Amino acid sequence: MPSPAIDFVHTGPGTLAGRYLRMFWQPVYRSQDLLRGRAVPIRIMSEDFTLYRGESGTPYLPAFRCAHRGTQLSTGWVEGDRIRCRYHGWQYDESGHCVDQPGENDSSPTKVAIKSYPVRDYLGLIFAYLGEGKPPPFRRFPDFERPGVLINGPAESWPCNYFNRLDNACDSAHVAYTHRAAALRAGARASLASPQIFSEETEYGIRTATRLPGELRYLHFYMPDANHIRATLGRGNVEKASAPVWSDRLFFRVPVDDSNCVSFGAILVHVTGEAARAYAERARSEDGERSLFLNQLGEAILKGQKRIEDLESDATIWDLFQVEDYVVQVGQSPVAERSQEHLGRMDNGVILLRRIWERELRNLAEGRPLKPWATPEGVADETAMTQQIPSSAAL
Ligand code: FES
Ligand SMILES: [Fe+2]
């Protein structure tokens, strides 16, 4: 009898996939967007939290609501490294303990506390541990600590389940079609030749090799929800660069709730010295409302009001890439109906991803040990498979 399907789509508290994702540190906000002394509400995996940065610069992540009568704590005031509720002024310290209840006339320390979660600033992102018990050791990404310019594009909020984006991260077959307009605009000859694709499980997740005429490309997926790609920026992007400049791109696709997700990126551009300063300045000035605008463009295309082929010629290649990905992944519907799919040989990365997720979730459900995923290091330079790539074809 086939075992019942494992649900990796729903990630709210108590769900199996939610429990699994909460076992890992997850990025929850772009660091540069959280100013000292400011608090914001955030939603991750169908749970609400208060995120604030103390005046010392340290970020904190207490519960969403004040323990007194439950108003939204993010509307209050940050005082030093504490936060005070706007309703009746209760104040919480760095660990969520209520340390001041104005008017209560009680000099003994209060026993009231709200939950507070461990957080850490790293690679321009704020990571949090939202699971039970002691957090696991913080996972670093040494490939992104190398010399170069580290930039974080705006967080991309998309109205689809995070697994639409995870599937895509292991799906190199989509590139020739989905990104055809971007490739043509970049001056590439559009090739619709079917690539050969081979995916294998590694100590960190999945490595996928894609063979195209004259080219072998690698994709790396880090369990449970990140992917790493290496790409050139193209000559024009870095002043005076005599050769194409490489960038390493790390993306985390994190559930907001079951129909929305947010993607956080850390991009290391391999330039140093004067060129690095100039590049960093330009990248910063290009930030802003762009991501929202691109989502609106994606929505207009999905409604049939625009076509990708008609987008203005000033759209950058990366803009196009983002809109193209938005259209196909949000176009699968917020929660893709996987039971209706017809998977083929070209989907072998997607099939492997789901098989690994199902195995881990089943083990979690049945109390068996989980695979301890290794810290990816040197992955950017890894361009070989441990197994022999079958010569015949895509698997
Ligand atoms: S609700 Fe926060 S102090 Fe009353
Ligand atoms: Fe894509």
Side-chain angles (χ1 to χ4, degrees), residues 168 174 179 325:
N168 177 264
H174 82 283
H179 297 302
D325 273 324

Side-chain angles (χ1 to χ4, degrees), residues 66 68-71 85 87-90:
C66 174
H68 177 218
R69 279 172 41 209
T71 201
C85 179
Y87 209 173
H88 315 91
W90 285 23

Side-chain angles (χ1 to χ4, degrees), residues 168 171 174-175 178-179 321 324-325 328-329:
N168 177 264
D171 171 13
H174 82 283
V175 175
T178 303
H179 297 302
F321 253 87
E324 288 166 341
D325 273 324
V328 296
Q329 292 169 58

Side-chain angles (χ1 to χ4, degrees), residues 295-364:
N295 285 10
Q296 286 163 356
L297 224 45
E299 286 300 320
I301 292 163
L302 286 171
K303 289 196 181 99
Q305 296 160 346
K306 279 188 193 289
R307 282 185 352 133
I308 287 189
E309 282 69 19
D310 300 335
L311 296 186
E312 316 78 47
S313 56
D314 67 344
T316 68
I317 302 301
W318 291 112
D319 284 351
L320 270 183
F321 253 87
Q322 191 175 323
V323 175
E324 288 166 341
D325 273 324
Y326 183 101
V327 165
V328 296
Q329 292 169 58
V330 175
Q332 286 179 298
S333 88
V335 180
E337 194 39 83
R338 291 184 174 76
S339 63
Q340 305 297 311
E341 291 174 337
H342 297 82
L343 298 179
R345 291 195 310 171
M346 301 291 277
D347 298 304
N348 70 72
V350 174
I351 292 167
L352 179 60
L353 170 77
R354 295 181 190 175
R355 203 178 289 150
I356 293 172
W357 260 81
E358 286 183 6
R359 180 190 72 207
E360 295 302 306
L361 292 195
R362 209 176 288 284
N363 286 342
L364 177 64

Side-chain angles (χ1 to χ4, degrees), residues 115-134:
K115 240 178 157 173
S116 180
Y117 299 82
V119 280
R120 188 141 166 193
D121 254 319
Y122 179 63
L123 296 182
L125 303 172
I126 298 177
F127 286 79
Y129 175 69
L130 305 174
E132 295 296 322
K134 211 168 139 256

